[in-house]
Amino acid sequence: MPYTLSYFVFYLVVLSQVLLLSFYLPRTVLRRLRRVIDEHPPSTYPKLYPMSIEVVERGLRRYRIMNLLILLAGLALVFAGIYAPSADMLNWDNQAVLALYACLQFSPMLLVERSGLKYYRLMRKANVRTTRRADLQPRRLLDFVSPAFLGLAILAYRAVSTTLRQPDSVFTVATPRC
Amino acid sequence: MEIVIDIDDSVPLFTQLIEQIKKAVLSDTLSPGDALPSIRQLANDLDLNNKTVAKAYRLLERDSVIQTKGYRGTFIHPEAKANSTVDLNAWVVTTLTETITAFRDSGVTDSEIRIAFGHLMKPRHT
């Protein structure tokens, strides 16, 4: 396989995806949770912990290990793809493999979401107050995501789509058959 | 602005929502054109059923206290302050009290009033 610009850009994008979703994001999540646990310990804030801290710690450990394994698999995938590309490896590093890997990367996030929902339900069950409060301020997209990150996401999307549409691109964009 | 509801209060939840939004409009805490949260957001934050919040919003819209602008969201109506002083429930109670008193004075029994009322309040098929 020829080492074209699109080839390198593609692997750069895959590498950034591996690092972002399996290294940076889990590290940020774990740091945040660690900070919450350290600054708001169960002894002082019992209402924050509807389940024992050991269960929470076990879940965090599981999340860290899962992400570490996925990160190692991703790095192996990228380096193997660069040093032994498709032609030698019977097209194993095609988009289907990378899509499957992306699904694998999202699995810890789904686990976190599921656990978060379970935790939230337990907290609600533990709440016996009869008054409930809410802010009358609508929340928009930019209340959840910083404009800088949103801009970066749009740029990344543009970069990937431009790479895929280059005439000398080794990767093809599937068109639906109607 | 914060909205507070008491689930143990005898006042229905949707009425509590309506009253607090009207009170906020009257005290200028909410001004015409201010955006309100979506039904789903408010229901989720208050841990209520979506239908409860939707009912409160529907009644506020009927009273022209709020207005829905399609996908852009829900906003405080330009005439909200004037419309917040109109209490349709109080008007219904006053009018019915006067009418029922007039019937009783004319010798109509309570059961006759109830039967007539039942006939009139049959579900409308439009």
Side-chain angles (χ1 to χ4, degrees):
Chain A
M1 176 182 288
Y3 287 94
T4 57
L5 175 69
S6 63
Y7 178 82
F8 283 111
V9 170
F10 181 80
Y11 275 104
L12 194 68
V13 170
V14 175
L15 184 65
S16 64
Q17 181 192 312
V18 170
L19 293 176
L20 183 75
L21 295 181
S22 298
F23 177 71
Y24 177 75
L25 186 70
R27 201 175 65 145
T28 311
V29 170
L30 286 168
R31 268 189 184 171
R32 186 160 178 262
L33 291 172
R34 179 58 51 203
R35 204 187 69 217
V36 171
I37 293 171
D38 290 345
E39 289 179 6
H40 305 88
S43 52
T44 323
Y45 299 91
K47 281 185 181 175
L48 272 181
Y49 302 89
M51 57 172 71
S52 83
I53 189 73
E54 284 77 25
V55 179
V56 177
E57 293 282 3
R58 210 178 307 139
L60 294 182
R61 246 193 328 271
R62 201 179 307 139
Y63 179 67
R64 190 184 300 120
I65 292 167
M66 267 182 88
N67 276 295
L68 182 67
L69 292 175
I70 293 169
L71 173 70
L72 292 175
L75 291 175
L77 191 76
V78 171
F79 288 114
I82 290 170
Y83 290 109
S86 298
D88 304 330
M89 301 284 284
L90 302 172
N91 275 331
W92 70 274
D93 60 341
N94 60 19
Q95 288 177 44
V97 172
L98 295 172
L100 276 175
Y101 177 70
C103 291
L104 191 67
Q105 276 192 300
F106 282 108
S107 58
M109 284 183 229
L110 291 175
L111 196 75
V112 166
E113 283 299 317
R114 194 172 150 268
S115 307
L117 196 68
K118 207 169 137 189
Y119 202 86
Y120 183 60
R121 278 192 192 141
L122 284 172
M123 280 183 88
R124 274 205 166 157
K125 209 179 269 181
N127 181 15
V128 288
R129 278 187 307 177
T130 58
T131 53
R132 294 172 188 170
R133 292 165 187 276
D135 203 10
L136 262 188
Q137 197 68 33
R139 289 192 288 271
R140 310 276 183 214
L141 177 65
L142 293 180
D143 293 325
F144 298 98
V145 191
S146 87
F149 278 126
L150 192 65
L152 272 175
I154 294 167
L155 273 178
Y157 174 78
R158 292 290 303 162
V160 171
S161 59
T162 308
T163 307
L164 289 175
R165 278 170 176 75
Q166 270 191 351
D168 64 335
S169 174
V170 288
F171 307 100
T172 54
V173 181
T175 46
R177 286 177 194 169
C178 300
Chain B
M1 189 232 154
E2 202 174 52
I3 204 152
V4 183
I5 58 148
D6 188 348
I7 52 167
D8 273 356
D9 201 316
S10 57
V11 178
L13 298 172
F14 73 91
T15 312
Q16 291 183 45
L17 283 174
I18 291 171
E19 281 174 356
Q20 287 189 48
I21 290 173
K22 281 186 176 177
K23 212 178 276 177
V25 168
L26 288 171
S27 64
D28 287 327
T29 313
L30 288 175
S31 311
D34 280 359
L36 289 175
S38 66
I39 291 171
R40 192 176 287 188
Q41 182 192 320
L42 195 56
N44 191 47
D45 289 356
L46 292 170
D47 197 13
L48 296 177
N49 194 312
N50 284 356
K51 285 179 184 172
T52 307
V53 180
K55 186 174 181 181
Y57 272 28
R58 200 170 55 242
L59 293 174
L60 284 167
E61 198 170 6
R62 180 204 65 186
D63 296 349
S64 296
V65 175
I66 63 171
Q67 55 183 354
T68 305
K69 294 181 181 175
Y71 66 91
R72 277 180 291 170
T74 310
F75 300 86
I76 299 293
H77 195 277
E79 303 296 326
K81 200 165 181 178
N83 297 333
S84 293
T85 55
V86 179
D87 189 348
L88 284 177
N89 285 325
W91 174 68
V92 169
V93 171
T94 312
T95 311
L96 281 178
T97 308
E98 284 169 5
T99 312
I100 290 168
T101 308
F103 288 151
R104 281 176 180 159
D105 290 347
S106 309
V108 183
T109 62
D110 281 2
S111 59
E112 284 173 326
I113 296 171
R114 272 192 214 99
I115 290 164
F117 205 75
H119 280 303
L120 293 171
M121 290 301 289
K122 269 181 186 166
R124 284 176 291 182
H125 299 287
T126 49

